[in-house]
Amino acid sequence: MVVKKTKGCQRILIQQIENQSDKYASFSKRRLSLYKKVNELSTLCGADMGIMIFSLTGNLYSFFSPSMDVLMRRYKIPNQHPDRMTRYIEDHLRNQVQQQNQQLDEVPVESLGPGEVLEWTAWFMTLQA
């Protein structure tokens, strides 16, 4: 009989994390998983969406698909249909997001070396800007 070496997935109690370093680590991991979920939902359903998160230190983290401008315009004027130029820009932004998602899907993250991790980090920062 094979004995399990780990406890596997276990349900965690949802409550405030007291340890400050654990709190930062959990925030970082869960923020990235939120980005991933929003991106997947946007890609699979073709929905325009975004999230804004303020960290414990007051930093703002956000993810918008296709862009913040598109979503803010739709929020301010929900029933207005965009003109031809606006639709063209929105479609272009959606295509860029889709292409970048495809590039990310092709990268074997586990095999990246330290230098490549820095390159990808710089690329993500440029993408985020």
Side-chain angles (χ1 to χ4, degrees), residues 19-120:
N19 185 333
Q20 197 69 14
S21 62
D22 290 346
K23 196 179 289 190
Y24 288 132
S26 180
F27 174 83
S28 178
K29 290 177 186 177
R30 289 175 183 258
R31 178 178 53 91
L32 294 175
S33 66
L34 273 175
Y35 287 170
K36 183 178 177 183
K37 290 294 182 187
V38 170
N39 185 28
E40 288 173 356
L41 186 59
S42 175
T43 301
L44 293 172
C45 301
D48 295 341
M49 53 185 33
I51 58 172
M52 296 174 72
I53 306 168
F54 288 94
S55 71
L56 301 170
T57 58
N59 293 332
L60 171 66
Y61 298 94
S62 62
F63 177 88
F64 293 94
S65 177
S67 75
M68 185 174 76
D69 293 334
V70 170
L71 290 175
M72 291 294 120
R73 190 178 316 112
R74 287 187 62 189
Y75 177 73
K76 289 177 183 175
I77 312 169
N79 296 326
Q80 180 184 14
H81 296 289
D83 62 2
R84 214 170 90 203
M85 184 58 140
T86 303
R87 281 196 312 265
Y88 174 77
I89 292 169
E90 290 175 5
D91 289 342
H92 178 71
L93 290 169
R94 282 188 191 92
N95 287 337
Q96 280 185 320
V97 169
Q98 186 177 21
Q99 288 173 355
Q100 290 165 350
N101 284 339
Q102 288 174 344
Q103 287 177 344
L104 289 174
D105 288 342
E106 296 170 1
V107 175
V109 177
E110 296 82 17
S111 66
L112 294 178
E116 293 170 315
V117 169
L118 292 175
E119 287 178 32
W120 275 97

